[in-house]
């Protein structure tokens, strides 16, 4: 080889421009590939190690194949209307097959349109979200429905890489063990949707007041938009924000082919009726629901609020609402006759109008609406008190004219004290009056109770334990022990029938007096409520006229000890009714439900009944756990003879026809109703208990701390109108019952008698019981009609026993 060729060969090997750079590049690429491979292997190895460590610690998701979330206790009327539910979470467990397609499409459109295509993690969705976020578009997430189930059921909401790793691992595990439908079912029942609603079925009831199966495209789209901001963007919290989200979802539903353009346009135009917050219960049965809750908790403990119990009661929805309305109307009528007590509170109104709404909202937060009595803050008062402006929550302004200020006129007077004066900043109550005009009013201080039950078996049909449950949760129907007053007299008269009295027994209505040395306190001279004395009268007329003196003479004759024993037959407690003559005037203690149960004995022919409320308890699948059959009473539960019940029924019908409760038959125009008014000493309690053979109802009105209701307030004037108002609804369509006389009674001269007393037997007057016959003429001459000395001594002897 020549020298020139050798030199050329050397230069070819050493000149970089002649191919050395290729080798350098290959080596660089080799090193890069090796580093990348090492990195990938390291990541894979790290991932495998993390998986090996983390996977065994993942929770067992197999239990989700038999998904059992927390389900609340639900309380229903007899006709299946939901009254109330108890539990941290409102949820209606709905199988996937019962969830309407439109609801599924709305959720998939906004949450995970490729749900049925990916394997748990949507890689296309991740890439799309990343590009959108890098492009500074609206931030997008990439969580699939499966990932949300993993997070919501098992993980916290903290944003950490560790939690995200667990979320992805759980996602794969869920996708492996469960079907797509099972995962979607869990999501749609588990997701939180604001206002304690979990799952779309509960949310549909909460926001629209309808079952999920009935939602429209527009409603489904609004529900599907709630999960992103459940507490702040639901239609109750912020309708505008919820509406914007709804419109976006309707567009997504159209883009994904779930609905047509025409359907989308119609859905956007649909006007939605959002269920108001105060319409959470369509049946006003708060006291009933609380009674059920207490009974269920006593049986099931803490599981009461999570195992999905459904409790069906004997309550009739229409009767319950009629009872609620009647009691509130009667109490409000009474309160309008009372003096105005002044605003509930005073606040300083800010000078800046922009701050006014917030100040009003803050002030009213501690003054919730009480049914139709709405809380508001006065913002303006006319100098002459002829008009006023008030502001409600949310900045709503209401103008009130002169007619609407009559009930609070004393608070607008220039002479009103500082605590009574209505001025800007005063927290007051407003209400729509009978002419649908705004009026200013106040929350009543007086309380009341109404209970109605079926005397044939004891089933409670309506129960209202007070004016407003949120104001006072004390259940006056079952917990208030009060003096029954004259409404207790029928039970004393019933005892008298067994001692030979009859409706025509003549009894003297003349004065009685008890000396302080005998009573151990103040001298007692009982009076008739209406004053005056009428002389001799029949026992039937005395009951109709509610004459106190006659009742005392009757009890004096049969003895208080016998009377005390007799009343226990009706379910009254002997120790609550000491054996003194004052028992004849209802000086003992009863509860409204106890009094109603006692009158049921007269209504059903003499049988004692036990009131009951719960008829059936089921679990969330409908399996019956407890069932109570309402059965008519048997002879083993007989309290009094059928003859006694029949005659007392005829006498109590006379009370409702011509006596202190004459308004009852005059208004209802039914000959089959009876009852008895009751007004206690100093008018501290007002009662009326009346019945028809299928329904007995007791109404009570009084103050929690007993005080005078007013000198003119009586059971007939205060409680009877409430009873009539309720019974007009409750007895609508109920046929008039014709009472059949039992064996052993006969009718003579229009009155009923025990057969053995019809022809000269029994007691024709008190002299027939061994007492001096009353002489009304002599009584008038003696001045004030004083009782004879022998009779007076015998009555006083009763106080010494």
């Amino acid at each position: 080889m020549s020298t020139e060729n050798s030199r050329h060969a050397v230069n070819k090997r050493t000149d970089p421009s002649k191919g050395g750079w290729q080798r350098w590049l290959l080596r660089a690429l080799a090193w890069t590939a090796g580093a990348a491979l090492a990195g990938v292997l390291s990541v894979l190895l790290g991932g495998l190690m993390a998986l090996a460590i983390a996977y065994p610690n993942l929770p067992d998701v197999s239990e989700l194949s038999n998904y059992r979330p927390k389900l609340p206790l639900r309380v229903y009327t007899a006709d299946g209307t939901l009254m109330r539910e108890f539990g941290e979470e409102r949820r209606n467990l709905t199988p996937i097959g019962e969830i309407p397609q439109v609801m599924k499409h709305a959720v998939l459109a906004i949450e995970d349109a490729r749900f049925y295509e990916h394997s748990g993690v949507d890689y296309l969705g991740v890439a799309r979200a990343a590009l959108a976020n890098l492009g500074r578009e609206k931030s997008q997430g990439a969580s699939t429905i499966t990932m949300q189930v993993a997070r919501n059921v098992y993980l916290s909401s903290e944003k950490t890489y560790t939690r995200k790793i667990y979320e992805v691992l759980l996602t794969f595990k869920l996708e492996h063990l469960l079907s797509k439908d099972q995962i979607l079912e869990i999501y749609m029942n588990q997701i939180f949707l604001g206002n304690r609603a979990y799952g779309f079925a509960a949310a549909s009831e909460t926001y629209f007041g309808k079952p999920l199966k009935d939602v429209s495209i527009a409603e489904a789209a609004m529900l599907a938009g709630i999960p992103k901001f459940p507490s702040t963007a639901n239609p109750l919290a912020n309708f505008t924000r919820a509406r914007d989200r709804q419109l976006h979802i309707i567009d997504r539903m159209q883009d994904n082919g779930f609905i047509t353009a025409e359907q989308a346009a119609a859905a956007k135009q649909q006007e939605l009726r959002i269920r108001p917050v105060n319409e959470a219960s369509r049946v006003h049965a708060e006291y009933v629901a609380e009674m059920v809750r207490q009974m269920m908790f006593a049986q099931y403990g803490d599981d009461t609020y999570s195992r999905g119990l459904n409790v069906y009661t004997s309550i009739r929805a229409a009767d319950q609402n009629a009872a609620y309305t009647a009691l509130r109307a009667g109490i409000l009528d009474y309160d309008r006759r009372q003096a105005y007590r002044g605003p509930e509170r005073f606040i300083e109104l800010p000078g800046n109008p922009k701050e006014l709404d917030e100040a009003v909202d803050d002030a009213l937060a501690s003054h919730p609406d009480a049914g139709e009595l709405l809380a508001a803050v006065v913002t303006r008062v006319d100098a002459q008190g002829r008009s006023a402006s008030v502001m409600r929550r949310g900045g709503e302004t209401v103008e009130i004219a002169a007619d609407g200020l009559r009930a609070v006129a004393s608070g607008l007077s220039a002479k009103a004290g500082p605590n009574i004066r209505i001025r800007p900043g005063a927290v007051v109550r407003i209400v729509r009056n009978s002419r649908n005009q705004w009026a200013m009013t106040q929350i009543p201080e007086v309380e009341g109770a109404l209970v109605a039950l079926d005397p044939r078996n004891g089933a409670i049909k309506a129960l209202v334990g007070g004016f407003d449950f949120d104001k006072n949760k004390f259940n006056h129907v079952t917990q208030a022990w009060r003096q029954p007053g004259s409404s207790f007299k029928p039970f004393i008269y019933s005892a008298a029938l067994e001692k030979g009295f009859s409706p025509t027994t003549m009894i003297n209505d003349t004065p009685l007096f008890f000396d302080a040395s005998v009573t151990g306190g103040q001298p007692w001279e009982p009076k008739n409520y209406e004053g005056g004395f009428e002389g001799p009268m029949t026992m039937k007329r005395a009951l109709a006229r509610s004459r106190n003196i006659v009742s005392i003479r009757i009890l004096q004759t049969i003895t208080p000890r016998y009377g005390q024993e007799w009343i226990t037959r009706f379910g009254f407690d002997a120790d609550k009714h000491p054996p003194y003559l004052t028992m004849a005037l209802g000086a003992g203690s009863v509860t409204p439900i106890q009094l109603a149960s006692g009158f049921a004995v007269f209504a059903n022919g003499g049988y004692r009944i036990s009131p009951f409320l719960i008829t059936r308890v089921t679990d969330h699948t409908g399996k019956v756990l407890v069932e109570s059959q309402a059965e008519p009473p048997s002879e083993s539960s007989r309290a009094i003879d059928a003859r006694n019940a029949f005659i007392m029924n005829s006498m109590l019908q006379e009370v409702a026809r011509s006596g202190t409760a004459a308004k009852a038959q005059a208004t209802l125009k039914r000959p089959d109703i009876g009852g008895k008014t009751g007004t206690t000493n100093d008018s501290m309690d007002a009662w009326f208990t009346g019945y028809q053979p299928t329904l007995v109802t007791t109404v009570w009105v009084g103050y929690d701390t007993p005080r005078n209701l007013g000198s003119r307030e009586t059971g007939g004037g205060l409680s009877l109108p409430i009873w009539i108002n309720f019974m007009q609804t409750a007895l609508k369509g109920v046929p008039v019952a014709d009472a059949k006389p039992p064996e052993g009674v006969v009718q003579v001269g229009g009155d009923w008698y025990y057969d053995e007393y019809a022809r000269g037997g029994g007691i024709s007057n008190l002299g027939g019981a061994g007492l001096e016959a009353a002489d009304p003429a002599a009584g008038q001459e003696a001045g004030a009609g004083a009782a004879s000395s022998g009779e007076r001594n015998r009555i006083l002897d009763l106080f010494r026993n």
Side-chain angles (χ1 to χ4, degrees):
M1 181 182 295
S2 65
T3 304
E4 182 178 350
N5 289 339
S6 298
R7 184 182 303 117
H8 178 73
V10 171
N11 291 340
K12 187 176 181 180
R13 290 194 301 268
T14 59
D15 187 355
S17 63
K18 298 299 183 176
W21 65 271
Q22 290 97 334
R23 289 189 296 273
W24 177 86
L25 180 61
L26 288 173
R27 285 196 297 268
L29 289 174
W31 277 103
T32 302
L37 180 59
V40 170
L41 291 175
S42 297
V43 170
L44 289 175
L45 182 60
L48 290 173
M49 291 179 64
L51 183 61
I53 296 173
Y55 198 85
N57 295 323
L58 292 177
D60 181 10
V61 299
S62 61
E63 61 185 25
L64 287 183
S65 61
N66 188 27
Y67 177 59
R68 289 291 179 269
K70 291 182 179 179
L71 298 175
L73 166 70
R74 291 189 174 90
V75 185
Y76 295 89
T77 63
D79 38 4
T81 301
L82 178 66
M83 292 189 288
R84 196 167 182 182
E85 57 185 9
F86 298 92
E88 296 179 2
E89 303 174 359
R90 293 175 177 168
R91 183 185 277 111
N92 295 327
L93 183 58
T94 308
I96 190 66
E98 296 178 15
I99 298 175
Q101 199 68 23
V102 65
M103 191 68 249
K104 297 177 191 176
H105 285 162
V107 169
L108 294 175
I110 191 61
E111 296 293 344
D112 192 355
R114 299 183 63 254
F115 172 71
Y116 282 98
E117 300 170 23
H118 61 67
S119 59
V121 177
D122 186 0
Y123 302 104
L124 290 178
V126 171
R128 185 171 56 251
L131 289 173
N133 294 338
L134 288 174
R136 296 183 180 180
E137 295 182 8
K138 186 176 181 180
S139 178
Q140 294 185 14
S143 289
T144 64
I145 284 177
T146 312
M147 294 169 73
Q148 292 184 59
V149 169
R151 180 170 63 249
N152 292 333
V153 176
Y154 293 108
L155 303 175
S156 67
S157 59
E158 63 177 345
K159 295 183 178 180
T160 64
Y161 290 112
T162 301
R163 195 225 67 188
K164 196 66 178 178
I165 291 172
Y166 272 95
E167 182 180 307
V168 172
L169 294 176
L170 271 173
T171 296
F172 291 138
K173 194 170 185 179
L174 287 171
E175 289 276 347
H176 176 69
L177 292 176
L178 303 177
S179 69
K180 286 288 188 177
D181 279 347
Q182 285 178 306
I183 294 171
L184 185 59
E185 177 182 298
I186 294 169
Y187 174 83
M188 300 195 76
N189 282 283
Q190 182 72 21
I191 195 73
F192 176 57
L193 293 155
N195 289 288
R196 290 179 39 239
Y198 287 78
F200 290 96
S204 179
E205 291 283 355
T206 299
Y207 297 115
F208 301 121
K210 60 167 59 176
L212 185 62
K213 65 182 179 64
D214 295 334
V215 296
S216 64
I217 294 174
E219 291 166 337
M222 180 159 282
L223 292 176
I226 299 175
K228 188 171 184 179
F229 305 105
S231 298
T232 59
N234 67 68
L236 287 175
N238 190 326
F239 181 81
T240 301
R241 194 174 181 185
R243 170 68 170 164
D244 291 341
R245 184 94 170 134
Q246 175 213 30
L247 296 176
H248 173 60
I249 292 173
I250 292 174
D251 287 338
R252 292 291 299 271
M253 293 176 73
Q254 181 183 348
D255 293 342
N256 283 279
F258 294 139
I259 58 175
T260 65
E262 292 76 14
Q263 289 175 316
K268 290 179 179 180
Q269 294 298 317
Q270 181 181 340
E271 183 177 351
L272 300 183
R273 181 187 180 277
I274 305 302
R275 189 179 187 180
V277 176
N278 59 6
E279 197 184 307
S281 175
R282 285 171 288 181
V283 179
H284 288 285
E286 295 82 2
Y287 291 96
V288 173
E290 176 60 16
M291 290 173 65
V292 171
R293 185 197 69 79
Q294 292 179 14
M295 287 187 277
M296 290 296 98
F297 186 81
Q299 178 70 28
Y300 298 102
D302 291 335
D303 288 345
T304 299
Y305 311 117
S306 60
R307 63 180 294 175
L309 296 174
N310 299 306
V311 183
Y312 295 86
T313 67
S314 54
I315 296 292
R316 292 190 297 222
D319 290 352
Q320 181 63 31
N321 280 337
Y324 173 85
T325 301
L327 184 66
R328 286 180 69 92
I331 289 177
L332 288 172
D333 284 344
Y334 167 81
D335 194 69
R336 279 190 281 270
R337 300 193 290 269
Q338 312 309 306
Y340 181 60
R341 295 180 291 276
E344 298 175 23
R345 179 187 173 190
F346 295 94
I347 66 170
E348 290 292 332
L349 297 181
N352 186 350
K354 295 181 179 180
E355 299 175 358
L356 183 59
D357 291 7
E358 184 177 351
V360 169
D361 286 350
D362 289 344
L364 298 184
S366 56
H367 295 267
D369 295 340
E372 69 273 32
L373 304 184
L374 310 181
V377 175
V378 177
T379 56
R380 180 193 63 83
V381 178
D382 179 71
Q384 289 75 37
R386 297 175 181 173
S387 66
S389 300
V390 300
M391 182 174 285
R392 290 269 297 140
R393 292 179 183 84
E396 177 189 1
T397 299
V398 174
E399 299 292 332
I400 304 177
D403 287 348
L405 298 173
R406 289 180 180 176
V408 299
S410 60
L412 296 168
S413 171
K415 298 180 181 179
N419 294 329
I420 304 296
R421 185 70 179 271
I422 297 174
R423 59 182 185 272
V427 177
V428 297
R429 296 284 163 168
I430 60 174
V431 67
R432 290 278 189 181
N433 59 24
S434 58
R435 292 175 292 178
N436 200 33
Q437 297 174 338
W438 286 110
M440 201 174 292
T441 185
Q442 61 186 349
I443 292 182
E445 289 185 339
V446 75
E447 277 293 352
L450 185 153
V451 59
L453 54 84
D454 189 333
R456 298 168 296 182
N457 51 40
I460 298 174
K461 299 300 181 182
L463 186 152
V464 185
F467 177 78
D468 187 87
F469 182 77
D470 292 329
K471 168 178 169 276
N472 187 351
K473 293 178 172 55
F474 184 80
N475 190 337
H476 298 84
V477 168
T478 59
Q479 296 175 293
W481 290 92
R482 307 293 291 227
Q483 289 188 342
S486 296
S487 61
F488 200 71
K489 290 175 181 176
F491 306 103
I492 304 302
Y493 279 57
S494 171
L497 292 179
E498 296 302 307
K499 289 293 188 179
F501 283 73
S502 67
T504 57
T505 297
M506 297 298 296
I507 306 166
N508 216 4
D509 180 20
T510 53
L512 294 172
F513 177 80
F514 300 92
D515 191 275
S517 62
V518 177
T519 63
Q522 296 295 322
W524 182 45
E525 188 174 3
K527 304 288 186 183
N528 290 312
Y529 180 80
E530 294 182 352
F533 303 92
E534 298 184 11
M537 62 174 58
T538 64
M539 189 169 78
K540 178 180 176 181
R541 176 174 170 77
L543 183 62
R545 299 277 295 156
S546 196
R547 307 303 287 179
N548 291 342
I549 301 302
V550 172
S551 297
I552 293 173
R553 292 188 188 278
I554 290 174
L555 185 58
Q556 180 261 337
T557 303
I558 65 174
T559 77
R561 184 67 65 184
Y562 179 77
Q564 183 192 45
E565 295 173 354
W566 184 259
I567 65 170
T568 60
R569 293 169 174 259
F570 299 86
F572 298 113
D573 303 323
D575 60 347
K576 299 283 188 181
H577 302 270
Y580 304 123
L581 287 181
T582 51
M583 181 170 61
L585 306 184
S589 297
V590 300
T591 62
I593 196 168
Q594 199 178 50
L595 192 61
S597 301
F599 271 83
V601 176
F602 299 136
N604 64 25
Y607 300 97
R608 181 173 172 179
I609 53 94
S610 297
F612 70 91
L613 182 60
I614 296 174
T615 60
R616 188 170 80 257
V617 180
T618 71
D619 64 13
H620 72 281
T621 66
K623 179 183 177 181
V624 176
L625 304 178
V626 178
E627 189 162 17
S628 174
Q629 296 292 336
E631 298 180 355
S634 62
E635 284 302 313
S636 63
S637 59
R638 177 166 291 283
I640 60 176
D641 190 275
R643 301 183 303 171
N644 189 304
F646 179 80
I647 293 177
M648 283 304 306
N649 179 52
S650 68
M651 293 172 66
L652 289 168
Q653 287 180 351
E654 186 64 31
V655 177
R657 181 166 47 248
S658 65
T660 56
K663 291 180 183 177
Q665 284 199 19
T667 305
L668 299 179
K669 303 187 186 316
R670 298 183 65 108
D672 60 345
I673 59 175
K676 183 68 185 73
T677 54
T679 309
T680 62
N681 193 35
D682 294 328
S683 297
M684 291 188 181
D685 298 272
W687 296 83
F688 183 73
T689 299
Y691 62 88
Q692 190 266 354
T694 64
L695 194 68
V696 55
T697 302
T698 291
V699 176
W700 166 84
V701 176
Y703 289 98
D704 276 340
T705 301
R707 72 174 194 253
N708 194 295
L709 289 165
S711 59
R712 297 185 178 181
E713 302 294 349
T714 66
L718 187 52
S719 297
L720 176 59
I722 297 173
W723 184 90
I724 292 174
N725 192 355
F726 166 70
M727 294 295 268
Q728 282 179 317
T729 297
L731 294 181
K732 190 174 182 178
V734 176
V736 174
D738 184 19
K740 296 181 179 179
E743 293 184 7
V745 298
V746 295
Q747 190 175 34
V748 178
D751 290 300
W752 292 96
Y753 298 82
Y754 284 11
D755 187 51
E756 60 269 31
Y757 300 148
R759 298 168 182 81
I763 299 174
S764 60
N765 54 56
L766 285 185
L771 301 178
E772 292 87 340
D775 186 345
Q780 293 295 328
E781 294 176 2
S788 65
S789 59
E791 181 182 11
R792 177 178 171 182
N793 288 335
R794 275 186 291 273
I795 294 175
L796 293 177
D797 283 340
L798 296 172
F799 284 92
R800 301 187 180 100
N801 292 338

